[in-house]
Amino acid sequence: MIKNEYKYSELTSKIIGCAMTVHSELGNGFQEVIYQRALEIEMAEEEIEFSREYEMPIYYKEQQIGTRRVDFLVAGSVSVELKAIIQLEDVHLAQAINYLEAYDLEVGLLINFGAKSLQFKRLSNRSFKQRNQGNPKIK
């Protein structure tokens, strides 16, 4: 699952592995917050550095216009958005990519626990600017 052409491939693969473990233990059918709590436990056990419900600034034309909480900010570099719906649709993918652009993060994951099999998408921000010199601080 690790592909060197993907930035943060090793890290995103570990996150996806944690999500697979959670999905195999819980199955589908729970609310998103249940999967969020379980993934928090799994990533902590794997010693992955993260912050849950991390408040991120939203930018428009280089100006901060508000904030939004990302489900997980991993290693100060990768956003992880969770869903617990029957099927991921294009609108969910577009929303997650918009968040990456608004957060000015280069890489993200969209993970859906609601389907029979775990669904995940690796996301890349093609307009990444690295506005914040260095990574956001993890609380």
Side-chain angles (χ1 to χ4, degrees), residues 1 7 15 17 19 28 38 55 59 67 72 77 80-82 86 89 95 97 101 107-108 111 113 116 133-134:
M1 196 176 339
K7 187 144 189 190
I15 298 164
N28 61 334
E55 194 161 310
Y59 292 94
T67 61
F72 291 94
S77 302
V80 179
E81 291 290 336
L82 304 184
I86 293 170
E89 297 181 16
Q95 181 184 46
I97 290 170
E101 291 173 356
V107 175
I111 301 174
F113 289 95
K116 279 190 167 187
Q133 297 301 320

Side-chain angles (χ1 to χ4, degrees), residues 52-82:
R52 184 175 154 210
E53 295 186 353
Y54 187 80
E55 194 161 310
M56 296 286 294
I58 304 295
Y59 292 94
Y60 176 76
K61 293 188 174 182
E62 305 293 324
Q63 295 181 46
Q64 184 177 338
I65 58 170
T67 61
R68 186 195 177 275
R69 289 189 178 146
V70 61
D71 290 329
F72 291 94
L73 179 63
V74 180
S77 302
V78 177
S79 75
V80 179
E81 291 290 336
L82 304 184

Side-chain angles (χ1 to χ4, degrees), residues 10-22 38-50 74-75:
E10 187 174 337
L11 179 59
T12 57
S13 293
K14 285 176 77 171
I15 298 164
I16 292 165
C18 289
M20 287 179 170
T21 300
V22 168
L39 186 58
E40 178 179 25
I41 292 167
E42 198 62 38
M43 289 196 305
E45 286 182 2
E46 291 296 316
E47 299 180 352
I48 297 172
E49 176 190 357
F50 68 89
V74 180

Side-chain angles (χ1 to χ4, degrees), residues 79 81 89-110 121-128:
S79 75
E81 291 290 336
E89 297 181 16
D90 288 344
V91 66
H92 303 115
L93 188 60
Q95 181 184 46
I97 290 170
N98 285 341
Y99 289 158
L100 269 186
E101 291 173 356
Y103 300 151
D104 196 33
L105 291 174
E106 193 170 7
V107 175
L109 289 172
L110 175 61
K121 300 278 186 191
R122 281 186 173 97
L123 309 169
S124 179
N125 176 1
R126 293 191 178 112
S127 61
F128 176 66

